[in-house]
Amino acid sequence: MKNILLVVSILFLVLSCKKDKENLRQPVTENNAAIVTDTTLINGVLLELIDNNGKAELKINSKISRSGNIKISPPCYFLRWEGNKVENFPYPDAGVDHTLVILGNIDKRSGRICGKGLQGLLFKKDSIIITPRTLTHSLTCADSGADEKIFWGFAHD
């Protein structure tokens, strides 16, 4: 009787694990894949911009608190100066240690990574804030950055 009970218990566990495994996740395909479009390291914190099936997201590899959501359309990129260094400005008067700008709403006709959507990313003490305000007024290219007044505006909102 003990052997029958043991066999039934094992069979039950095997069948339930198989069913759970099947329901865990759909296979990753081109249509549902999350794609990392840009990364940077600020104060030892890795930031990844992700196109998650048409929704822009920010992934942070730290327990640092975070608020806000990316409102501009992916793919998204960090603005860079001279093509490689992520533009980053501190504004101690506003309590901001680092100000970065995310570029989205990409215009694929330009041949470069350029778009009409900008959104701020602020490091304040032990938190990261994605600004609620976006700018969509003019075409900006990721490799040539933006005027510092854009960064100042996001930091002082």
Side-chain angles (χ1 to χ4, degrees):
M1 186 69 167
K2 285 184 180 180
N3 287 343
I4 293 174
L5 186 56
L6 181 62
V7 169
V8 169
S9 297
I10 291 172
L11 187 58
F12 175 76
L13 286 172
V14 168
L15 289 176
S16 21
C17 288
K18 182 179 179 188
K19 195 172 199 175
D20 287 345
K21 185 177 178 184
E22 290 170 359
N23 292 328
L24 278 179
R25 198 170 175 173
Q26 294 177 345
V28 174
T29 65
E30 191 175 308
N31 293 331
N32 70 358
I35 301 166
V36 176
T37 55
D38 203 357
T39 62
T40 191
L41 190 65
I42 304 291
N43 278 3
V45 177
L46 178 65
L47 305 172
E48 295 178 307
L49 292 172
I50 298 172
D51 179 348
N52 189 359
N53 202 24
K55 181 173 179 0
E57 297 178 355
L58 175 68
K59 182 178 176 187
I60 303 168
N61 80 332
S62 173
K63 301 245 185 238
I64 193 166
S65 71
R66 175 199 129 154
S67 64
N69 293 308
I70 299 176
K71 296 178 181 178
I72 52 181
S73 299
C76 293
Y77 302 89
F78 295 107
L79 289 187
R80 297 176 183 275
W81 182 247
E82 297 177 354
N84 58 8
K85 185 179 177 190
V86 172
E87 273 190 293
N88 174 2
F89 295 97
Y91 296 99
D93 62 313
V96 176
D97 300 318
H98 303 278
T99 306
L100 286 73
V101 174
I102 301 168
L103 172 71
N105 303 356
I106 301 302
D107 180 348
K108 297 179 181 177
R109 295 171 295 161
S110 68
R112 293 171 58 197
I113 298 174
C114 303
K116 288 192 173 186
L118 300 176
Q119 193 166 1
L121 180 69
L122 312 175
F123 277 70
K124 283 187 164 192
K125 296 182 184 176
D126 293 328
S127 67
I128 293 176
I129 300 162
I130 301 170
T131 63
R133 184 169 67 98
T134 62
L135 298 176
T136 57
H137 62 284
S138 63
L139 192 67
T140 303
C141 295
D143 62 349
S144 56
D147 192 289
E148 186 184 349
K149 68 183 175 187
I150 302 292
F151 292 80
W152 188 94
F154 282 126
H156 289 85
D157 266 352

